[in-house]
Amino acid sequence: MKKELIFGNTKEKGKFTLLAYQEKPNYYIGVCLEFNLLIEAKTPNEAMQKIKETAWFYLENVIKNKLPDYLLNEPASSKYWKKFLELMKK
């Protein structure tokens, strides 16, 4: 069964959206919304740097290992999409 490409990302083209936000004091979450990746960090800068590195590593591995494109189209939980939309309104 072939999975639908929700975001249209392929190994040749696409995009990913990164989000970093404070969950509680000295605890930040970094999210890649299209790849469903999450990291934890102690500062907002660390969260953004770690999620960027994680997303690029993930993308490189999907390409290098010729894995299915649907792995580039796995949405994060609606909790994180809501958080992203909330922050974009500010």
Side-chain angles (χ1 to χ4, degrees):
M1 180 177 144
K2 188 173 182 179
K3 286 197 172 187
E4 178 184 350
L5 301 183
I6 297 168
F7 302 108
N9 288 335
T10 67
K11 290 179 213 63
E12 292 77 31
K13 65 179 178 135
K15 71 172 187 90
F16 56 84
T17 308
L18 304 176
L19 167 66
Y21 69 93
Q22 187 173 16
E23 184 78 12
K24 55 187 176 183
N26 299 317
Y27 184 78
Y28 293 81
I29 300 292
V31 183
C32 178
L33 294 169
E34 289 82 1
F35 301 169
N36 194 23
L37 301 172
L38 298 155
I39 61 89
E40 299 174 349
K42 293 182 180 179
T43 69
N45 289 339
E46 180 187 9
M48 189 55 78
Q49 186 61 37
K50 284 173 75 174
I51 196 60
K52 277 185 202 176
E53 290 171 0
T54 301
W56 278 111
F57 180 74
Y58 182 83
L59 176 60
E60 288 172 353
N61 277 293
V62 169
I63 293 169
K64 178 182 172 187
N65 295 303
K66 299 179 180 152
L67 299 173
D69 285 347
Y70 76 80
L71 293 172
L72 303 174
N73 296 276
E74 295 284 330
S77 162
S78 62
K79 167 186 173 178
Y80 301 110
W81 284 97
K82 287 176 187 173
K83 184 61 135 175
F84 173 72
L85 293 173
E86 173 187 308
L87 293 171
M88 291 301 291
K89 288 180 185 177
K90 291 183 179 182

